Amino acid sequence: MPAALPSLLAWLAVLLLGRARPADACSCSPIHPQQAFCNADVVIRAKAVSAKEVDSGNDIYGNPIKRIQYEVKQIKMFKGPDQDIEFIYTAPSTAVCGRLLDTGGKKEYLIAGKSEGNGKMHITLCDLVSTWDSLTPTQKKSLNQRYQMGCECKISRCLSIPCFVSSSDECLWTDWAMEKNNVDGRQAKHYACIKRSDGSCAWYRGMAPPKQEFLDIEDP
């Protein structure tokens, strides 16, 4: 046996073992609710009334792809197509980024996700899905217009103090740094990043619409 063969076999064994590890669990980067709203194709308030597992085509090996199909009753659409959403699809488990909803039609949700057309949408564990009762009054009001007013702004998560904006169209999201890695802190609950008349962006707090004085202000 050539001298180099044992080391080559050992290297191949390590490589194969590395590839044989189980699939990584689903993980999501924290984002501000406004970012989730702006990134979504569809944002609705709805109830899930039933759920069933359905086939959704085949993977590259010919195996059926399973998804959960939720039949929903839409209460209000904040962003999306003209027609109501009737079905929401998601992966069958949280390990593969599936999002579980309570069915029965009693619990109301705010649901943001991607459009699939024809009254259908898709959600993952990384999309914004919250019970309606858990939202603050400011968050509910912001869904109507305020979040949309800042979709051209950039919300940057501050990981540790100090941190600084890199451009005038940026808002620093400091909940993570100021509230011990809390992604549901003061800014997430009560603030929206608004684009002003001069093209800059700034945090705005409150349920009332931003006054013209706020929109017209210029940074020094």
Side-chain angles (χ1 to χ4, degrees):
M1 177 182 295
L5 188 56
S7 59
L8 176 61
L9 291 175
W11 180 83
L12 287 172
V14 170
L15 180 63
L16 291 172
L17 285 172
R19 289 183 175 179
R21 68 181 186 275
D24 295 331
C26 180
S27 61
C28 309
S29 297
I31 60 173
H32 188 277
Q34 181 174 353
Q35 291 172 291
F37 175 94
C38 292
N39 292 343
D41 297 326
V42 183
V43 182
I44 60 172
R45 178 182 177 183
K47 298 178 180 180
V49 296
S50 67
K52 66 178 181 179
E53 189 174 77
V54 296
D55 289 338
S56 184
N58 298 317
D59 61 21
I60 59 174
Y61 303 106
N63 301 314
I65 300 173
K66 300 291 185 180
R67 294 200 298 177
I68 301 298
Q69 174 187 279
Y70 290 104
E71 182 182 358
V72 299
K73 178 182 179 182
Q74 179 180 305
I75 300 169
K76 184 173 182 177
M77 178 172 287
F78 299 100
K79 181 181 180 182
D82 294 334
Q83 67 182 121
D84 286 357
I85 298 299
E86 298 178 359
F87 298 102
I88 295 177
Y89 295 87
T90 192
S93 73
T94 56
V96 286
C97 286
R99 187 75 191 220
L100 305 182
L101 303 177
D102 286 341
T103 56
K106 294 183 178 180
K107 186 173 291 188
E108 295 183 11
Y109 290 96
L110 174 70
I111 305 172
K114 300 302 181 184
S115 173
E116 292 195 353
N118 299 319
K120 302 174 183 178
M121 64 182 292
H122 179 83
I123 60 173
T124 71
L125 197 63
C126 300
D127 290 313
L128 175 61
V129 178
S130 300
T131 57
W132 185 254
D133 290 342
S134 70
L135 301 176
T136 65
T138 300
Q139 288 173 325
K140 293 176 181 178
K141 285 285 186 180
S142 296
L143 292 166
N144 290 312
Q145 182 184 14
R146 197 148 325 131
Y147 284 162
Q148 188 66 48
M149 292 173 65
C151 281
E152 294 181 7
C153 299
K154 179 182 178 182
I155 298 177
S156 300
R157 181 161 52 101
C158 176
L159 298 177
S160 62
I161 301 296
C163 50
F164 308 95
V165 295
S166 58
S167 61
S168 62
D169 65 346
E170 184 178 359
C171 292
L172 277 181
W173 181 27
T174 59
D175 287 348
W176 187 265
M178 300 293 289
E179 302 186 31
K180 297 181 179 178
N181 300 348
N182 182 16
V183 297
D184 193 28
R186 180 172 57 94
Q187 284 179 314
K189 290 179 177 179
H190 305 294
Y191 285 75
C193 181
I194 302 297
K195 187 172 184 178
R196 300 186 295 190
S197 301
D198 65 349
S200 66
C201 296
W203 288 115
Y204 178 82
R205 178 174 181 169
M207 291 188 292
K211 295 182 179 180
Q212 197 62 41
E213 291 84 349
F214 175 84
L215 298 176
D216 288 343
I217 194 171
E218 294 185 1
D219 287 330

